[in-house]
Amino acid sequence: MEWVNETLVREFVFLGFSSLAGLQRLLFVVFLLVYLFTLGTNAVIISTIVLDRALHTPMYFFLAVLSCSETCYTFVIVPKMLVDLLAQKKTISFLGCAIQMFSFFFLICSHSFLLAAMGYDRYVAICNPLRYMVLMGHGVCVGLVAAACFCGFTVSLVTTSLVFRLPFHSSNQLHHFFCDISPVLKLASHRSRLSQLVIFMLGVFVLVIPLLLIMVSYVRIISAVLKIPSTVGRYKAFSTCASHLIVVTVHYGCASFIYLRPKSNYSSSQDTLISVSYTILTPLFNPMIYSLRNKEFKSALRRAIIQTSHPVN
């Protein structure tokens, strides 16, 4: 449906999976199963960390927050997407679109800074092991998470305000399955260069600054590890960072492709495919990468299962 120039857009129509009309029921089943498995996996990880005192360390505190964050941002996107896969009319109100964009960017921006905090945690653990519990006390960990959330909230609020202050008079057909920046901006009747520049710079701030902090942490980590005389010691030190590096690579790879490339290269089909990966698949694999590679966590999970199965009277 086309809107005449004098009419403000009051709702958006999602066209993200319109080219796969015959597969939408199959996609619904697949995405639902993945979503439920993601919720279950993250719930197990968070519960195990909370219940097992051996995991009450800074690294696992950040892992619990990471699992919680990824559970929340899938909740912002996936339930609505599942409903739309079965619905004839795939719409979202103007206000609902703004709330969805704000919530998603608050969580995804906080996620970027949280990964930087986790990189700093690995740096302190490897480069200052004797002072680790002092330098990464509970107050410091909570402060880092609060700072990550504050940065995410501020960037999301400014970005969403700039996008939805623009006039929307023409089309309401959104070539995506949720309210992401690029497809929504394409529908604006007038896009000021200043707004686009500010949004781009905020994207750079959210992605480049945390990535630089992570790189600084790992330069120092590598320098410290190379001084370890034994091969086994170097392997153990690097293995504690491997999971974090995998998650960082996937997160920043997908986000940079979506938000930092020139808008002239924008492709709705490519964006939909990449967005599926970081809204559905990445939240599934990230906590599993951290937990399944970790012997300490697997031992704690076994203890939790035993305690649950055979509670002490």
Side-chain angles (χ1 to χ4, degrees):
M1 175 180 177
E2 293 270 321
W3 294 75
V4 296
N5 291 337
E6 293 79 12
T7 306
L8 288 173
V9 169
R10 297 184 182 277
E11 66 179 15
F12 295 101
V13 179
F14 290 128
L15 301 178
F17 297 110
S18 57
S19 61
L20 302 172
L23 297 175
Q24 290 193 12
R25 291 185 182 276
L26 176 62
L27 289 175
F28 171 83
V29 173
V30 172
F31 290 159
L32 176 62
L33 292 175
V34 171
Y35 180 57
L36 292 176
F37 189 75
T38 300
L39 292 180
T41 303
N42 282 299
V44 168
I45 290 171
I46 295 169
S47 300
T48 303
I49 292 171
V50 170
L51 294 174
D52 197 298
R53 294 184 62 84
L55 300 185
H56 290 183
T57 64
M59 184 178 80
Y60 292 105
F61 171 78
F62 287 122
L63 176 57
V65 175
L66 179 75
S67 293
C68 184
S69 169
E70 296 192 327
T71 300
C72 290
Y73 85 68
T74 56
F75 184 75
V76 170
I77 304 297
V78 178
K80 171 62 177 168
M81 181 194 70
L82 291 173
V83 171
D84 287 342
L85 282 171
L86 297 182
Q88 292 295 321
K89 189 179 181 184
K90 310 174 194 303
T91 60
I92 188 170
S93 67
F94 189 85
L95 177 60
C97 189
I99 292 172
Q100 187 184 59
M101 181 182 290
F102 170 80
S103 301
F104 177 73
F105 275 95
F106 164 60
L107 293 164
I108 206 73
C109 293
S110 301
H111 190 85
S112 289
F113 288 102
L114 178 62
L115 289 176
M118 295 174 81
Y120 175 70
D121 170 71
R122 291 298 82 212
Y123 156 71
V124 175
I126 292 172
C127 299
N128 295 281
L130 298 179
R131 301 182 62 205
Y132 177 56
M133 295 307 294
V134 175
L135 294 175
M136 296 299 295
H138 182 69
V140 173
C141 294
V142 171
L144 288 172
V145 172
C149 292
F150 175 78
C151 291
F153 177 86
T154 304
V155 171
S156 181
L157 182 63
V158 173
T159 302
T160 307
S161 299
L162 287 172
V163 170
F164 285 92
R165 282 179 57 193
L166 299 172
F168 292 88
H169 297 293
S170 52
S171 173
N172 69 337
Q173 296 184 338
L174 198 65
H175 291 273
H176 211 5
F177 61 89
F178 73 98
C179 293
D180 207 353
I181 286 182
S182 294
V184 173
L185 278 178
K186 281 194 72 177
L187 300 183
S189 305
H190 172 70
R191 301 188 290 272
S192 72
R193 290 190 178 275
L194 178 60
S195 295
Q196 292 184 76
L197 178 62
V198 171
I199 291 170
F200 178 78
M201 292 306 296
L202 288 171
V204 170
F205 171 72
V206 167
L207 293 175
V208 176
I209 299 300
L211 185 57
L212 287 175
L213 294 173
I214 292 170
M215 290 174 66
V216 169
S217 295
Y218 275 100
V219 166
R220 299 197 173 191
I221 287 171
I222 292 170
S223 176
V225 170
L226 291 177
K227 294 177 183 177
I228 299 175
S230 69
T231 304
V232 174
R234 287 196 296 269
Y235 173 78
K236 285 183 178 179
F238 275 128
S239 66
T240 64
C241 303
S243 299
H244 181 250
L245 283 173
I246 294 170
V247 172
V248 166
T249 301
V250 172
H251 173 77
Y252 286 100
C254 292
S256 297
F257 178 85
I258 294 289
Y259 300 113
L260 295 185
R261 78 189 192 281
K263 294 307 173 191
S264 58
N265 295 338
Y266 173 77
S267 167
S268 59
S269 59
Q270 284 182 336
D271 275 18
T272 299
L273 180 62
I274 298 296
S275 296
V276 165
S277 72
Y278 74 71
T279 56
I280 298 175
L281 300 180
T282 301
L284 169 66
F285 292 126
N286 280 358
M288 292 176 64
I289 289 169
Y290 268 102
S291 57
L292 296 181
R293 289 175 54 89
N294 191 301
K295 292 181 181 179
E296 188 178 16
F297 180 86
K298 288 189 284 188
S299 298
L301 180 58
R302 282 193 291 269
R303 288 195 298 270
I305 293 172
I306 292 171
Q307 289 175 2
T308 304
S309 303
H310 304 89
V312 179
N313 292 326

